[in-house]
Amino acid sequence: MPINYYIFLSLALFCIGIVGVLTRRNAIIIFMCIELMLNAVNLLLVAFSKMHHNAALLAGDATTIAGTDGQLFVFFIMVVAAAEVSVGLAIIVMMYRNIHSVDVNFLNRLKH
Amino acid sequence: MGITQILFWFLSIVAIFSALMVISSKNPVHSVLWLILTFFSISGHYILLNAQFLAIVNIIVYAGAIMVLFLFVIMLMNLNKETEPQKHKWLRIAGAVAGGCLLLVLVAALKDTDIKHQQALVNTGGIGLIKNLGKELFTTYVVPFEISSILFLSAMVGAVVIGKKE
Amino acid sequence: MQNVLQIVYLIPLLPLIGFLINGLGRKHLSKSMISAVGCGSILISFALSIWVFLQVKGGNVHTAHYFDFISVGKLKIPFEFKIDQLSSLFLLIITGIGFLIHLYSTSYMKEEKSEHFGRYFSYLNLFIFSMLLLVMGGNFVVMFIGWEGVGLCSYLLIGFWFKKHEYNKAASKAFIMNRIGDLAFLIAIFWLIAKLSTVSFDEVFTAANIAKLSSLDITVITILLFVGATGKSAQIPLYTWLPDAMAGPTPVSALIHAATMVTAGIYMIARSNILYSLSVIHAMGGEQDIRNMGGLSKKLKITFITFLIGCIAIAGIPPFSGFFSKDAILLSAFIKNPVLYGVALFAALLTAFYMFRLLFITFSGKFRGTHDQEHHLHESPPAMTIPLIVLAILAIIGGFVGIPEVFMHGGDKLGEFLSPVITEQEHHVSHATEYMLMGLSTGLVIAMIIFAWFKFRNYQRSEATGFGKVLENKWYVDEIYDAAIVKPIKKAGTFFSQVFDNKVIDGMVNGVGRLMQYSSRQLRLVQSGQVGNYVLLMVISMVLIFVIQFFLRK
């Protein structure tokens, strides 16, 4: 597949995630949108890794493992995302416990 | 158009549609379900790219663990109603316009890149298989791997500390 | 071997030292001491000037270069004195008359307190110093320093009795009027620097440099210099400060302002005469001096004779000095243009009329003061009369140095002496015409005197009417200035101070503050603490950065 397609697909998903972050007030939905953006990036990384692999094969190296690091990056991103989700959801739970809402508009203490 | 292309377009449309539904559904539980669908379609893309390991991990970690965690939290808070207060109308429009602008700008910027004629290898290629990735992960990337386990541990401790009632 | 004239710096230095001693020590020195310092410094300068004059007469012309005054890039303005025929002559006039003024002042000002006496003499010395700097300066810049110094001293002297408000106003008026001329002078200097990048007389007046100037340059520079001269010499249209300048101590008003300061303008024009090439000028220089000698006389009470001589000299009756200089002017004017001649003749007649009117009013008819004043009348002390007599004698014989050729072949000694400096046009008028013109003017002048005699013989103070009133009010020029310049400027000033200043300037200043307050208040809203807003701004900034990065940077 042409790499352009993957680029535009990832961009679309990423921007949908951004729009979600911008338009919603529910902290959990915002968090989910962030996960969506991470996944868009992951998809693009895998696509690039296959692109590099393809380029290396075309160059004549039949036993190449070029592009492996791209997929390993995706793996690490998933690790970090999982850790992030656990901490983030804990924070949201605590926030709900304190103000009985997950509305980010109540989180304006930075102002004061 | 071969089966690969058809699959690609189908998965893309499903991913984008379900992503849009994630941000547009009023009920958070529906959002979670649409997001799981999105992750499944992305996993389908991974399979298409012959990255089976990542496809499985994506389903297990994201669609399985993470989204279930989300679902748990939502149900725990009893948020599965359409009670979410809406943002101001103009703010929502501004957000949508800003996101759209970003998409437009990035597409316009990237549509003429040098790599646009390159192909991503689909259906074949062994780098996405567990054999190759595991070898690389436990040789070249062994230190980051161990560090990530420490990160997990600390995240777990943090989550417990934060979530603990005082 | 250095030229002996290198020591001419002593001539201005002595009055400067006198100024410092008198100015700083005015509270401690006795009056006689102050007089000695004030007069002595000028006397030595005068003696030096005579020596310099003799040197110059012997053919020793020198430009004394002392140090670089301004050195910017290629432009170098040295501090230098130029000693030639013209400046040596003016040195004589200034130090000579200056000395007489000082002598006269010792007596005139003796009623003043010692402190003010010292102040007065320090001003006078500074004045002489400035005048000397003006005439000795080897370039336009040094000349300008003296020029400004003269203006300053004139201001100080006119406002000498600073406790009287109107004197202060007169001083300010003189100062401001002079500024107009000074500005023109300054612009002319800048113009010269821009065109020739030199201001030295020796370099500016070379044929090569003159050729560099376009006719427009020359016209503008000469006009500007002339405006400068009119300001300093109190000529039309910048003359109105002169009558007001009489507010100062009499010797100042009568002498300094007339005798020396007025000549400053003439000197400047004469110095730049290559640019003008008008033969009228040197004659005018002579005329002004003599008029001023007469001007001194007119302030004296009892010395009727000197007064009369002064009047006659100014009126231009042969063989007194005024006659020849006036005649020279009239002749030059006639050569140039008969209309000009008519105007000049009319002016001469008015001068004669005015002087004799003054004479008759002062000395004939009944005494118009109170008895008390009459009682106090007395002959002036010798210190006052002697300078007057000297001046009167000068007034009588002064003209003979400039006798036209028609009377005595080679008699025009003044013109001959100055010829190296002043390029004179040839007179091409037959002797018969010259005689005729002289006869005409003299006859008219005498007729005018007789007219004045009949008119003012039994003069009693009364309201002037008609033309007399116009004259009494200085031709209403002050009023015209008032209406045409002062009032509009005042109105504009009021407008600016009340409307422009309040609304625009204050508005701008306050507006900046208010804008800051307003914008900060609005910007504060951005810091809402709402995460959503921050993210929105973040995204917008990202869009902008991408736009700049990808599209605008190409």
Side-chain angles (χ1 to χ4, degrees):
Chain A
M1 295 297 295
I3 193 69
N4 258 9
Y5 291 7
Y6 284 103
I7 292 174
F8 293 144
L9 174 64
S10 295
L11 278 178
L13 289 174
F14 188 86
C15 288
I16 288 168
I18 281 185
V19 172
V21 169
L22 290 176
T23 52
R24 300 300 290 259
R25 286 170 72 175
N26 190 327
I28 294 172
I29 306 277
I30 289 173
F31 210 10
M32 277 155 57
C33 290
I34 291 169
E35 295 305 316
L36 180 61
M37 284 150 73
L38 279 172
N39 262 277
V41 173
N42 283 351
L43 175 60
L44 194 58
L45 274 172
V46 173
F48 278 146
S49 106
K50 295 299 282 187
M51 181 187 88
H52 280 295
H53 188 65
N54 187 32
L57 283 179
L58 289 178
D61 189 356
T63 58
T64 183
I65 53 161
T68 308
D69 26 4
Q71 301 208 8
L72 282 174
F73 254 92
V74 173
F75 176 75
F76 282 115
I77 287 174
M78 283 178 182
V79 168
V80 173
E84 174 221 341
V85 164
S86 64
V87 175
L89 280 176
I91 290 171
I92 288 173
V93 168
M94 192 193 66
M95 166 193 164
Y96 183 78
R97 216 185 273 151
N98 285 334
I99 62 176
H100 297 284
S101 168
V102 287
D103 187 351
V104 289
N105 278 15
F106 286 109
L107 292 177
N108 57 1
R109 294 275 170 82
L110 281 177
K111 192 176 169 185
H112 302 294
Chain B
M1 196 146 63
I3 186 79
T4 314
Q5 269 89 351
I6 292 171
L7 272 175
F8 175 83
W9 287 111
F10 173 72
L11 289 171
S12 298
I13 288 164
V14 168
I16 289 175
F17 176 75
S18 50
L20 283 171
M21 289 314 288
V22 168
I23 63 168
S24 57
S25 29
K26 295 253 161 59
N27 192 329
V29 176
H30 292 180
S31 283
V32 171
L33 294 176
W34 282 116
L35 190 60
I36 289 170
L37 183 56
T38 312
F39 288 161
F40 268 104
S41 60
I42 288 174
S43 287
H45 273 297
Y46 289 162
I47 292 169
L48 205 61
L49 287 163
N50 214 20
Q52 280 97 340
F53 173 68
L54 284 180
I56 298 299
V57 167
N58 200 39
I59 287 170
I60 293 173
V61 172
Y62 267 108
I66 292 179
M67 293 327 288
V68 168
L69 201 58
F70 269 97
L71 215 52
F72 268 145
V73 168
I74 286 168
M75 295 197 163
L76 199 71
M77 292 172 185
N78 210 13
L79 290 175
N80 54 347
K81 283 175 282 180
E82 299 171 9
T83 51
E84 187 198 349
Q86 290 297 305
K87 268 195 172 173
H88 193 269
K89 187 177 142 206
W90 287 109
L91 259 178
R92 278 191 300 166
I93 291 173
V97 168
C101 282
L102 187 67
L103 177 64
L104 245 147
V105 166
L106 284 174
V107 167
L110 296 177
K111 75 179 181 347
D112 287 327
T113 46
D114 304 331
I115 56 167
K116 75 173 174 182
H117 298 302
Q118 300 218 30
Q119 299 284 324
L121 192 64
V122 286
N123 282 335
T124 52
I127 54 162
L129 302 177
I130 297 177
K131 183 187 170 193
N132 175 45
L133 284 178
K135 203 173 141 195
E136 277 293 301
L137 193 61
F138 291 112
T139 53
T140 317
Y141 290 92
V142 68
V143 177
F145 181 79
E146 294 301 333
I147 289 174
S148 70
S149 66
I150 295 171
L151 180 76
F152 256 120
L153 186 65
S154 56
M156 197 169 71
V157 171
V160 169
V161 167
I162 290 170
K164 205 179 68 176
K165 275 193 175 168
E166 56 263 19
Chain C
M1 163 106 188
Q2 277 194 324
N3 195 305
V4 283
L5 285 176
Q6 193 73 19
I7 61 154
V8 286
Y9 67 86
L10 280 177
I11 297 178
L13 189 65
L14 286 167
L16 183 66
I17 292 170
F19 156 69
L20 290 175
I21 293 173
N22 278 342
L24 296 175
R26 64 182 189 278
K27 289 186 179 164
H28 312 291
L29 296 174
S30 69
K31 279 188 193 175
S32 52
M33 186 68 190
I34 289 167
S35 313
V37 171
C39 299
S41 59
I42 307 293
L43 186 62
I44 300 170
S45 288
F46 181 53
L48 276 169
S49 301
I50 293 173
W51 174 77
V52 166
F53 181 76
L54 292 174
Q55 284 280 332
V56 172
K57 207 160 189 301
N60 186 358
V61 175
H62 179 59
T63 300
H65 180 100
Y66 294 107
F67 55 88
D68 272 351
F69 184 51
I70 294 174
S71 177
V72 181
K74 273 194 284 180
L75 176 68
K76 280 204 174 24
I77 299 176
F79 192 88
E80 59 189 358
F81 288 148
K82 184 175 171 63
I83 303 300
D84 62 357
Q85 284 83 356
L86 187 68
S87 55
S88 66
L89 189 69
F90 271 85
L91 280 181
L92 275 186
I93 294 170
I94 290 159
T95 50
I97 295 179
F99 174 65
L100 292 176
I101 299 165
H102 275 69
L103 204 59
Y104 181 79
S105 301
T106 55
S107 173
Y108 187 89
M109 300 295 286
K110 69 170 186 286
E111 306 292 327
E112 290 289 326
K113 271 199 232 157
S114 172
E115 186 186 333
H116 293 302
F117 193 75
R119 188 161 61 90
Y120 177 78
F121 270 89
S122 67
Y123 288 170
L124 273 190
N125 276 1
L126 186 62
F127 193 99
I128 301 290
F129 165 72
S130 307
M131 278 303 296
L132 291 172
L133 215 56
L134 197 162
V135 298
M136 290 169 76
N139 55 48
F140 279 109
V141 173
V142 176
M143 191 183 192
F144 188 74
I145 298 169
W147 188 269
E148 287 298 310
V150 169
L152 169 70
C153 293
S154 135
Y155 167 77
L156 291 173
L157 285 166
I158 294 170
F160 180 73
W161 285 306
F162 51 80
K163 282 182 182 158
K164 276 207 174 170
H165 187 55
E166 67 227 60
Y167 291 177
N168 287 340
K169 277 171 103 172
S172 302
K173 185 176 179 181
F175 200 64
I176 291 163
M177 284 300 219
N178 268 304
R179 285 285 83 67
I180 301 172
D182 294 347
L183 180 67
F185 190 13
L186 204 57
I187 293 171
I189 293 175
F190 289 151
W191 199 293
L192 278 175
I193 290 174
K195 289 286 169 189
L196 304 178
S197 60
T198 179
V199 285
S200 281
F201 296 136
D202 293 340
E203 290 167 30
V204 170
F205 299 133
T206 55
N209 269 330
I210 296 284
K212 267 193 221 166
L213 297 169
S214 69
S215 64
L216 175 74
D217 293 335
I218 292 185
T219 312
V220 174
I221 290 170
T222 49
I223 286 174
L224 285 171
L225 287 177
F226 190 72
V227 170
T230 53
K232 196 62 71 182
S233 301
Q235 288 161 359
I236 293 170
L238 299 177
Y239 74 97
T240 58
W241 63 267
L242 189 57
D244 288 327
M246 300 304 170
T250 305
V252 176
S253 54
L255 266 154
I256 299 247
H257 290 111
T260 46
M261 200 153 146
V262 170
T263 58
I266 292 152
Y267 171 77
M268 196 262 278
I269 301 278
R271 176 60 84 190
S272 324
N273 73 86
I274 292 178
L275 300 173
Y276 290 87
S277 289
L278 291 174
S279 61
V280 181
I281 287 154
H282 95 276
M284 209 142 110
E287 202 255 359
Q288 284 286 359
D289 297 337
I290 289 144
R291 166 189 285 205
N292 301 327
M293 290 176 196
L296 167 69
S297 320
K298 85 186 178 196
K299 282 290 172 181
L300 295 173
K301 277 184 180 169
I302 314 292
T303 41
F304 175 67
I305 296 160
T306 53
F307 193 98
L308 182 63
I309 289 167
C311 289
I312 293 171
I314 287 176
I317 291 177
F320 293 102
S321 56
F323 170 70
F324 298 113
S325 49
K326 185 189 302 299
D327 207 61
I329 295 172
L330 291 177
L331 186 64
S332 314
F334 185 75
I335 294 162
K336 275 257 170 231
N337 188 346
V339 178
L340 212 61
Y341 171 74
V343 173
L345 183 61
F346 183 65
L349 292 181
L350 279 181
T351 317
F353 178 78
Y354 169 72
M355 288 311 298
F356 275 87
R357 172 175 168 269
L358 192 77
L359 177 76
F360 294 134
I361 290 172
T362 316
F363 294 112
S364 58
K366 291 178 195 142
F367 184 74
R368 289 178 296 276
T370 61
H371 266 290
D372 211 27
Q373 284 175 329
E374 197 169 4
H375 185 70
H376 275 100
L377 287 175
H378 58 86
E379 183 61 74
S380 303
M384 284 167 102
T385 49
I386 289 169
L388 294 173
I389 292 164
V390 170
L391 285 175
I393 293 166
L394 277 177
I396 296 168
I397 61 163
F400 285 102
V401 292
I403 288 178
E405 263 196 24
V406 65
F407 290 118
M408 193 198 300
H409 190 68
D412 193 351
K413 291 238 167 46
L414 185 69
E416 206 174 287
F417 180 65
L418 289 177
S419 56
V421 187
I422 296 193
T423 50
E424 196 168 357
Q425 285 175 343
E426 287 294 315
H427 294 204
H428 288 298
V429 187
S430 70
H431 285 186
T433 321
E434 212 169 331
Y435 278 128
M436 198 190 75
L437 290 173
M438 283 181 192
L440 180 67
S441 61
T442 312
L444 282 171
V445 164
I446 291 170
M448 205 45 116
I449 292 165
I450 293 165
F451 173 64
W453 164 257
F454 278 115
K455 194 155 164 62
F456 294 107
R457 187 175 44 174
N458 293 313
Y459 179 82
Q460 295 292 327
R461 185 172 293 271
S462 61
E463 265 309 299
T465 52
F467 192 60
K469 196 171 175 186
V470 175
L471 283 177
E472 199 158 276
N473 286 304
K474 293 173 267 175
W475 296 86
Y476 287 111
V477 168
D478 262 357
E479 281 74 8
I480 292 169
Y481 279 170
D482 199 46
I485 297 170
V486 177
K487 277 198 183 137
I489 288 178
K490 260 192 179 165
K491 275 208 184 116
T494 319
F495 170 76
F496 279 125
S497 75
Q498 291 183 351
V499 181
F500 189 78
D501 212 40
N502 278 351
K503 296 270 155 61
V504 181
I505 303 289
D506 285 8
M508 258 157 64
V509 174
N510 294 338
V512 169
R514 236 178 268 139
L515 185 73
M516 279 299 148
Q517 281 186 349
Y518 177 79
S519 54
S520 347
R521 223 179 359 246
Q522 299 305 310
L523 267 176
R524 206 172 55 114
L525 296 181
V526 173
Q527 295 290 331
S528 57
Q530 310 246 327
V531 186
N533 291 357
Y534 296 159
V535 178
L536 179 61
L537 284 176
M538 211 170 94
V539 170
I540 291 170
S541 314
M542 272 163 62
V543 171
L544 288 178
I545 287 169
F546 279 131
V547 167
I548 291 166
Q549 170 84 13
F550 289 119
F551 301 111
L552 298 184
R553 222 180 47 169
K554 279 170 189 171

PDB file of all heavy atoms in Angstrom, chain A residues 13 15 22-23 30 35 57 62 66 71 79 81 103:
ATOM      1  N   LEU A  13      -7.284  10.042  12.219  1.00  0.00           N
ATOM      2  CA  LEU A  13      -7.582   9.516  13.558  1.00  0.00           C
ATOM      3  C   LEU A  13      -7.022  10.454  14.631  1.00  0.00           C
ATOM      4  O   LEU A  13      -7.688  10.735  15.639  1.00  0.00           O
ATOM      5  CB  LEU A  13      -6.975   8.118  13.713  1.00  0.00           C
ATOM      6  CG  LEU A  13      -7.655   7.009  12.910  1.00  0.00           C
ATOM      7  CD1 LEU A  13      -6.881   5.711  13.025  1.00  0.00           C
ATOM      8  CD2 LEU A  13      -9.083   6.811  13.412  1.00  0.00           C
ATOM      9  N   CYS A  15      -6.475  13.654  14.443  1.00  0.00           N
ATOM     10  CA  CYS A  15      -7.223  14.907  14.539  1.00  0.00           C
ATOM     11  C   CYS A  15      -8.608  14.662  15.143  1.00  0.00           C
ATOM     12  O   CYS A  15      -9.132  15.526  15.852  1.00  0.00           O
ATOM     13  CB  CYS A  15      -7.345  15.566  13.177  1.00  0.00           C
ATOM     14  SG  CYS A  15      -5.765  16.236  12.643  1.00  0.00           S
ATOM     15  N   LEU A  22     -10.928  18.587  22.525  1.00  0.00           N
ATOM     16  CA  LEU A  22     -11.324  19.991  22.571  1.00  0.00           C
ATOM     17  C   LEU A  22     -12.811  20.170  22.839  1.00  0.00           C
ATOM     18  O   LEU A  22     -13.216  21.205  23.362  1.00  0.00           O
ATOM     19  CB  LEU A  22     -10.946  20.693  21.262  1.00  0.00           C
ATOM     20  CG  LEU A  22      -9.454  20.899  21.022  1.00  0.00           C
ATOM     21  CD1 LEU A  22      -9.236  21.518  19.667  1.00  0.00           C
ATOM     22  CD2 LEU A  22      -8.845  21.765  22.100  1.00  0.00           C
ATOM     23  N   THR A  23     -13.606  19.207  22.431  1.00  0.00           N
ATOM     24  CA  THR A  23     -15.046  19.471  22.498  1.00  0.00           C
ATOM     25  C   THR A  23     -15.738  18.822  23.687  1.00  0.00           C
ATOM     26  O   THR A  23     -16.882  19.163  23.975  1.00  0.00           O
ATOM     27  CB  THR A  23     -15.744  19.003  21.208  1.00  0.00           C
ATOM     28  OG1 THR A  23     -15.367  17.649  20.966  1.00  0.00           O
ATOM     29  CG2 THR A  23     -15.358  19.865  20.037  1.00  0.00           C
ATOM     30  N   ILE A  30     -12.127  12.416  27.408  1.00  0.00           N
ATOM     31  CA  ILE A  30     -10.887  13.080  26.989  1.00  0.00           C
ATOM     32  C   ILE A  30      -9.729  12.091  27.061  1.00  0.00           C
ATOM     33  O   ILE A  30      -8.897  12.014  26.150  1.00  0.00           O
ATOM     34  CB  ILE A  30     -10.643  14.319  27.882  1.00  0.00           C
ATOM     35  CG1 ILE A  30     -11.658  15.412  27.539  1.00  0.00           C
ATOM     36  CG2 ILE A  30      -9.236  14.837  27.702  1.00  0.00           C
ATOM     37  CD1 ILE A  30     -11.614  16.588  28.456  1.00  0.00           C
ATOM     38  N   GLU A  35      -6.012   8.200  24.179  1.00  0.00           N
ATOM     39  CA  GLU A  35      -5.651   6.836  23.767  1.00  0.00           C
ATOM     40  C   GLU A  35      -5.802   6.659  22.258  1.00  0.00           C
ATOM     41  O   GLU A  35      -4.970   6.025  21.596  1.00  0.00           O
ATOM     42  CB  GLU A  35      -6.551   5.823  24.488  1.00  0.00           C
ATOM     43  CG  GLU A  35      -6.376   5.784  26.000  1.00  0.00           C
ATOM     44  CD  GLU A  35      -4.938   5.530  26.383  1.00  0.00           C
ATOM     45  OE1 GLU A  35      -4.313   4.654  25.761  1.00  0.00           O
ATOM     46  OE2 GLU A  35      -4.430   6.229  27.277  1.00  0.00           O
ATOM     47  N   LEU A  57      14.426  -4.462   1.544  1.00  0.00           N
ATOM     48  CA  LEU A  57      14.286  -5.645   0.683  1.00  0.00           C
ATOM     49  C   LEU A  57      14.542  -5.290  -0.769  1.00  0.00           C
ATOM     50  O   LEU A  57      15.223  -6.017  -1.501  1.00  0.00           O
ATOM     51  CB  LEU A  57      12.884  -6.236   0.840  1.00  0.00           C
ATOM     52  CG  LEU A  57      12.626  -7.057   2.109  1.00  0.00           C
ATOM     53  CD1 LEU A  57      11.187  -7.549   2.133  1.00  0.00           C
ATOM     54  CD2 LEU A  57      13.593  -8.240   2.195  1.00  0.00           C
ATOM     55  N   ALA A  62      18.013  -9.746   1.486  1.00  0.00           N
ATOM     56  CA  ALA A  62      16.868 -10.623   1.685  1.00  0.00           C
ATOM     57  C   ALA A  62      16.648 -10.963   3.145  1.00  0.00           C
ATOM     58  O   ALA A  62      15.537 -11.261   3.565  1.00  0.00           O
ATOM     59  CB  ALA A  62      17.061 -11.919   0.883  1.00  0.00           C
ATOM     60  N   ALA A  66      15.421  -4.692   8.971  1.00  0.00           N
ATOM     61  CA  ALA A  66      15.208  -3.248   9.071  1.00  0.00           C
ATOM     62  C   ALA A  66      13.746  -2.972   9.374  1.00  0.00           C
ATOM     63  O   ALA A  66      12.859  -3.594   8.805  1.00  0.00           O
ATOM     64  CB  ALA A  66      15.615  -2.559   7.774  1.00  0.00           C
ATOM     65  N   GLN A  71       8.559  -1.171  15.279  1.00  0.00           N
ATOM     66  CA  GLN A  71       7.526  -1.966  15.962  1.00  0.00           C
ATOM     67  C   GLN A  71       7.807  -2.086  17.449  1.00  0.00           C
ATOM     68  O   GLN A  71       6.885  -2.095  18.273  1.00  0.00           O
ATOM     69  CB  GLN A  71       7.436  -3.333  15.303  1.00  0.00           C
ATOM     70  CG  GLN A  71       7.097  -3.210  13.822  1.00  0.00           C
ATOM     71  CD  GLN A  71       6.370  -4.414  13.282  1.00  0.00           C
ATOM     72  OE1 GLN A  71       5.973  -5.306  14.027  1.00  0.00           O
ATOM     73  NE2 GLN A  71       6.184  -4.425  11.972  1.00  0.00           N
ATOM     74  N   VAL A  79       3.243  -0.012  26.452  1.00  0.00           N
ATOM     75  CA  VAL A  79       3.619  -0.181  27.859  1.00  0.00           C
ATOM     76  C   VAL A  79       3.379   1.098  28.634  1.00  0.00           C
ATOM     77  O   VAL A  79       2.707   1.119  29.681  1.00  0.00           O
ATOM     78  CB  VAL A  79       5.094  -0.615  27.965  1.00  0.00           C
ATOM     79  CG1 VAL A  79       5.571  -0.514  29.408  1.00  0.00           C
ATOM     80  CG2 VAL A  79       5.270  -2.010  27.436  1.00  0.00           C
ATOM     81  N   ALA A  81       1.557   3.624  27.748  1.00  0.00           N
ATOM     82  CA  ALA A  81       0.143   3.992  27.740  1.00  0.00           C
ATOM     83  C   ALA A  81      -0.613   3.222  28.805  1.00  0.00           C
ATOM     84  O   ALA A  81      -1.467   3.786  29.514  1.00  0.00           O
ATOM     85  CB  ALA A  81      -0.459   3.729  26.360  1.00  0.00           C
ATOM     86  N   ASP A 103     -16.231  16.405  35.355  1.00  0.00           N
ATOM     87  CA  ASP A 103     -16.232  17.543  34.433  1.00  0.00           C
ATOM     88  C   ASP A 103     -14.919  18.323  34.586  1.00  0.00           C
ATOM     89  O   ASP A 103     -14.618  18.847  35.664  1.00  0.00           O
ATOM     90  CB  ASP A 103     -17.427  18.440  34.773  1.00  0.00           C
ATOM     91  CG  ASP A 103     -17.590  19.541  33.759  1.00  0.00           C
ATOM     92  OD1 ASP A 103     -16.682  19.693  32.909  1.00  0.00           O
ATOM     93  OD2 ASP A 103     -18.606  20.233  33.820  1.00  0.00           O
TER      94      ASP A 103
END
